Structures are given as structure tokens and as C-alpha cells.
Amino acid sequence: MPQPAIYSHITSYTRINFVAFLVASMANIAVMVFLGATQSFFMTDALGMEEKVGSYLGRLTFYDQLVVIALTPFVGVCCDRIGSRYLEVAGLAIMGTALLGTGFFANSVFPGMLIWRLLFAVGATASMSVVSVMLIEYNNSALGLGKLAQTSIETSIGLADQTPPEENLEEQPTDEPPSQATFGELNELNKTRREGKRTSVLGIASGVGAVFAVLFLLTLPVYFGQTQSKKDAIKSSYKAVGLVTTLLALILFKGLYKHENIYSPEEEPDQLGELRANPTETESATNALMYGTKKTHETYLLAVKHGFKLSLQNPLLFLAYFAAVMGRCTTITVTLFLPFYINKYFYSSGKCSVADAEHCREAYILSSILSGLTNTCALIFAPIVGVLIDRFGNHVNNLLVANVIGIIAFAGMAFIRTPDHSVCIYILACLMGVAEISFIIMSMTMISNISSQKKFFQNKGCILGVSTLIAEIGVMTTTRIGGLIGDSSPSFPFMLIGSAALTFVVALLVIKRTTQDVTLT
């Protein structure tokens, strides 16, 4: 079976671009972990709240996700047009500004925290959405492809030196949905490109960012609490993280990859013929051959519609989207509901009180330890998951394993009644991290494989925008329902995720049974 056409590698991608990509990925996760883990403590310590904290957390995140859902498709379109660098820098700067605003001006949940949380959502939508695009840029660069890049060069030269056969011209991609042969093509592409290992780079960077947040950012309230009241300590933490995030955005502007529109020589043979026939063309024509020419811009609504249409042309995208939903829902549960669970337990058991002048140190320390374990396990297992994806290939089976781990971890956490006297809670926290990183890497591997095909590469931003949109709808549902039921019992949100994983298992078994003769890779 012929290997599916992929886009020419990005020759201008440098090691500095790669380092900046890793730093940006770590910064995004670190800041989001900090926000999610400290929201409930901000309400109890800075605002003096004791009742309905879970409900307020759910409502804040619900409104947050409304902003994300509204902006995500347009961020994808903007990324296809202007590149990832501007959006990533703007997103980090906006998130930093929102944290500064919360630290200085938020004196109530509504409208105080809500205003700055919505601004944070704008920045997070921009920065987190384009991280996936930056990964695809790296995966399709000469640096990322390694030896495969040389093969791509030789193929491109061969195509430039000969007129494409007539039969090849007849097999140009159409808008018709691909047949089941697409699975076989993706199988060949997966074996050649080994996206799992390269995609695990993002998982490792995310894990490092999360661990950094736990070891350093989440300890700031305790550090400031040595000399300040618990109210001032939590606010000073927001100010410090916000300032560093804003400064980092300015630094990354110099290091991140500058967008170039590239295309495969296979896609526009007529232009190649023209350039061959006119060897005296100017340097701009040569650059057009290497990097492509910008397409006539569609309106934003048409571009978004086009992104949805592309997502319907490959059945693997649906599996990738479901995996993305589970990845985001597990992440939000770990960052938002795990600290809330610990905080709620200490206050409801009488071990901490809003009337106390001092910060509830024991709750904060246990919450940080569990978050640290979860994210450390995610960091450790990120490269392992990448290797296993490349080794076994069958994404249905991989997702089945990830969901089983998720069921054990999250449903098991729901039955822990005394988290400060339980050994199992540490084991379950580790399993939560394994499930979380598995969903994230598997989803991104499938999307990266699909986006590397010439039919989808130029619209990778739109595809990722749709993926993020669907995932955020799942997050919005989880946080809203989880916040409401969390006030009744802080363990209910974990049972909700366990139930979602069980539903996914049933769906995967149905898919596996109905596609016994098709290799889904």
C-alpha cells in the first residue's frame, strides 16, 4: 500500500524554536495548575467563604468554558493565518494579566473573580490551543523528523525533476469522505513516522510544568504566609505568578517558531513546472516553491465550517476527540476537584476553620503532595506511553487500557473517606496521572498523524480548534455537574469521571466488535 502523502518538512525550524516550544508548554500547564489548585483556597482564605465553595468553583469554570467554546474555533483559524507564535505570546501575557488582576482587585466571587477568570480564559484559549499546533510544526520539521526528513528531501527533489504522471493527477484528494482504506494508509504512516515518541515530548513538557507548579508555585502561599496573613499570602501568590508569566511571554516572542506556509510539491505540480521552466525567476519565486503561497482567505465562519467538514472526513478523528475529552476532563478533575476534595474534607471535619487566622497548612500540604504525585507519574509515564503507542499501534486497544486505568483511579478515589489517613489515596493519585497523560498523548498522536497528510496539514489549526471545542464542552459539563454534586459530597466528581471512562470503554468495545476486519491505527 502506498504511503500517504505528507507535507514537506519545515526547514527553518531551529533548536531555539524547539526549546521555546517546550518552555511555552511547561509555562501553560504550570500556570493553569496553579490557578486550578488555588481557586478554592482563594475563596476560603482571601474571601472568607465556607459554604457552597464547590458550587462556586463549578460556576466559575462553567463560564470560563463558555468563553473557551466561543473562541476556540476562531483561534484555530487565526493560527492557520498568522502562525502560533503571536497567539502563544498573547495568550501567556493575557493569563499573566488576569492573575495580577485577581491578586490586586478580586474581593468577591461575582463579579470580582469572575471578571479576571474570563480574561484568563481568553488567554488560556489562545495559548493552550496553539500548543498542539506547535507540536505539529515540530513533528513536521527537519529537526523533529530526523532521518525521515532526508527521505522527504529526496522525494521532493525527485518530484521537482519530473512531470507528475497523468494517473497521479487523477488521484488528487477530493471532498468525498475517504473509504476504509484510510485506516491502512494511517497504519503505514504511523509505522513510518512514529508520532507517539515525538508527541510524548509534549507530555513530558506538560508533566515538568505541572511538577514545577506543585514544587514552586503552589508553595508560594505557604512561603508568603510566614510573614503575611492568609488573605494577603494567597493574593501575593497570584501577583507573583502573574508578573513572571507576563515577563516570560515577552521573552518567548524571540524564541518561538515564526510561521511559514509550506506545502508539498505533490500538491501543486503546475507551479513546480512553471518554476522549472523559468530558472531565472526571482528569489521570491524560489521561496514560494519552498514555503508555498498564502491561500485566499475565507471568511472566519466559512473557515470554521471547513474545519468541521474536515473533521468528518476521517473516522479516527472521532476517537481522537473522545480521547481529548477524557484528557481534559481528567486534567480538570485533578487540578480543580482534587484540591477542593482535600480542602472540603479538612473544613467539614473541623480540622480547619474559616475563623482561624492562620492558613490551613495541613490541607494545602496534602493537596500539593497529591497533585505532585499525579503530575510526577504523568511526567514519568509520558515517554513510556509514547513508546507503547509506536510499539502496538492499535489505538482502540490503547484507549481501552487507558480507560480501565481511569475507572480504577477515579472511581477508587470516590471511596476514600479520610484522605489524611489513607495509603491507597497515593496509589490512586499516581494512577490518575497515568490515565491523564495516556489520554492526552493518544489524542495528540492520532491528530498529528492525520494532520501530517497533505489534505489536512494546511488546516491543522481548524482541526485542532474543533478538537479543543468538543473537549471544552466536555469540561464545561464536568465542572458544572461536578461543582453542584461536589457540595453534597466532594467524592462525587471522581465518580462522574469514572462513569465517563466506563461509558467510553463500552463504546470502544462496540467499535472493536464492528471493525474486526479493519486495523484502527
Side-chain angles (χ1 to χ4, degrees):
M1 181 177 295
Q3 179 178 321
I6 59 175
Y7 261 70
S8 299
H9 62 278
I10 302 172
T11 56
S12 58
Y13 198 96
T14 67
R15 295 185 184 277
I16 294 178
N17 298 148
F18 178 64
V19 172
F21 157 60
L22 294 181
V23 173
S25 302
M26 290 186 286
N28 286 327
I29 296 299
V31 173
M32 296 194 71
V33 167
F34 171 80
L35 180 77
T38 57
Q39 288 280 273
S40 63
F41 290 96
F42 194 94
M43 292 181 189
T44 55
D45 294 355
L47 305 183
M49 295 178 58
E50 190 171 7
E51 300 294 332
K52 297 183 178 180
V53 174
S55 178
Y56 279 120
L57 281 175
R59 289 173 64 186
L60 279 177
T61 309
F62 178 83
Y63 296 132
D64 174 299
Q65 297 307 305
L66 287 178
V67 173
V68 174
I69 288 173
L71 293 180
T72 292
F74 299 101
V75 169
V77 174
C78 289
C79 189
D80 284 335
R81 296 184 179 183
I82 68 175
S84 59
R85 180 174 67 161
Y86 294 104
L87 291 173
E88 179 62 35
V89 170
L92 281 171
I94 292 172
M95 285 195 291
T97 302
L99 291 175
L100 286 169
T102 303
F104 278 108
F105 305 113
N107 295 313
S108 62
V109 178
F110 298 104
M113 291 181 67
L114 176 62
I115 293 174
W116 299 108
R117 181 65 181 268
L118 295 181
L119 181 63
F120 186 92
V122 174
T125 303
S127 61
M128 290 299 293
S129 295
V130 300
V131 163
S132 301
V133 175
M134 290 193 292
L135 172 66
I136 294 176
E137 290 170 345
Y138 165 67
N139 282 348
N140 287 275
S141 69
L143 181 65
L145 289 172
K147 292 182 179 179
L148 183 59
Q150 183 62 35
T151 303
S152 178
I153 294 173
E154 294 170 356
T155 302
S156 299
I157 293 175
L159 287 170
D161 289 338
Q162 61 182 353
T163 304
E166 182 177 353
E167 58 270 21
N168 287 345
L169 295 177
E170 296 175 356
E171 296 179 359
Q172 296 298 317
T174 66
D175 290 334
E176 294 297 324
S179 63
Q180 287 187 341
T182 300
F183 293 118
E185 292 176 356
L186 288 171
N187 183 30
E188 293 299 320
L189 181 59
N190 185 61
K191 291 179 180 178
T192 304
R193 292 173 60 87
R194 298 199 178 278
E195 296 283 358
K197 292 180 181 178
R198 291 197 296 276
T199 302
S200 67
V201 169
L202 178 58
I204 294 171
S206 300
V208 171
V211 172
F212 176 83
V214 172
L215 295 179
F216 296 99
L217 302 186
L218 295 186
T219 61
L220 289 176
V222 177
Y223 171 76
F224 288 119
Q226 295 175 357
T227 57
Q228 300 177 7
S229 66
K230 63 179 183 179
K231 177 180 179 179
D232 292 335
I234 192 72
K235 287 195 170 187
S236 295
S237 302
Y238 271 70
K239 296 173 187 176
V241 177
L243 179 62
V244 172
T245 303
T246 304
L247 294 176
L248 181 61
L250 299 177
I251 297 173
L252 287 175
F253 182 78
K254 286 291 185 180
L256 289 172
Y257 169 70
K258 185 178 181 181
H259 174 70
E260 297 283 1
N261 276 334
I262 69 170
Y263 70 93
S264 169
E266 297 178 68
E267 183 170 317
E268 298 188 22
D270 292 340
Q271 185 179 0
L272 289 170
E274 292 175 5
L275 290 173
R276 287 196 305 269
N278 298 282
T280 59
E281 288 290 332
T282 61
E283 183 179 356
S284 61
T286 303
N287 291 335
L289 172 61
M290 293 180 62
Y291 300 114
T293 54
K294 293 185 178 180
K295 299 180 295 184
T296 302
H297 290 171
E298 303 172 291
T299 65
Y300 278 101
L301 291 179
L302 286 177
V304 172
K305 181 180 178 181
H306 186 55
F308 274 100
K309 184 178 180 180
L310 287 174
S311 70
L312 296 175
Q313 292 183 1
N314 195 309
L316 272 184
L317 279 175
F318 289 105
L319 288 182
Y321 290 165
F322 279 121
V325 170
M326 290 302 299
R328 288 287 291 118
C329 289
T330 53
T331 299
I332 202 68
T333 302
V334 170
T335 58
L336 186 68
F337 289 115
L338 184 58
F340 164 69
Y341 172 42
I342 303 301
N343 199 24
K344 177 79 171 178
Y345 165 75
F346 273 85
Y347 278 94
S348 62
S349 64
K351 296 183 178 182
C352 290
S353 173
V354 173
D356 293 339
E358 295 184 358
H359 183 77
C360 190
R361 184 180 180 88
E362 293 79 7
Y364 204 88
I365 290 176
L366 179 58
S367 175
S368 298
I369 290 174
L370 293 176
S371 297
L373 277 175
T374 301
N375 292 299
T376 300
C377 287
L379 171 61
I380 294 173
F381 275 85
I384 297 175
V385 171
V387 171
L388 292 177
I389 289 174
D390 290 338
R391 174 65 179 82
F392 297 105
N394 192 304
H395 290 302
V396 171
N397 291 340
N398 293 337
L399 287 172
L400 278 171
V401 174
N403 277 281
V404 170
I405 296 174
I407 292 171
I408 296 172
F410 289 92
M413 186 67 72
F415 292 98
I416 302 295
R417 300 304 178 193
T418 56
D420 57 338
H421 293 95
S422 173
V423 177
C424 290
I425 195 171
Y426 300 105
I427 299 174
L428 294 175
C430 291
L431 291 177
M432 288 165 67
V434 175
E436 175 189 357
I437 200 65
S438 297
F439 286 127
I440 293 172
I441 293 180
M442 288 176 191
S443 172
M444 281 309 308
T445 298
M446 287 187 281
I447 291 177
S448 183
N449 266 337
I450 294 167
S451 297
S452 67
Q453 298 176 95
K454 67 178 183 178
K455 183 175 184 179
F456 298 103
F457 186 85
Q458 295 283 36
N459 298 282
K460 58 186 180 297
C462 291
I463 293 173
L464 288 163
V466 173
S467 173
T468 305
L469 172 65
I470 296 174
E472 295 305 328
I473 292 175
V475 171
M476 184 176 67
T477 303
T478 300
T479 53
R480 184 58 175 153
I481 297 175
L484 291 174
I485 64 179
D487 282 326
S488 300
S489 173
S491 63
F492 282 172
F494 299 99
M495 186 60 73
L496 180 65
I497 299 300
S499 301
L502 179 60
T503 303
F504 199 180
V505 166
V506 174
L508 287 169
L509 290 175
V510 172
I511 293 174
K512 188 176 178 64
R513 182 176 180 82
T514 56
T515 57
Q516 292 179 1
D517 298 327
V518 180
T519 302
L520 298 178
T521 53

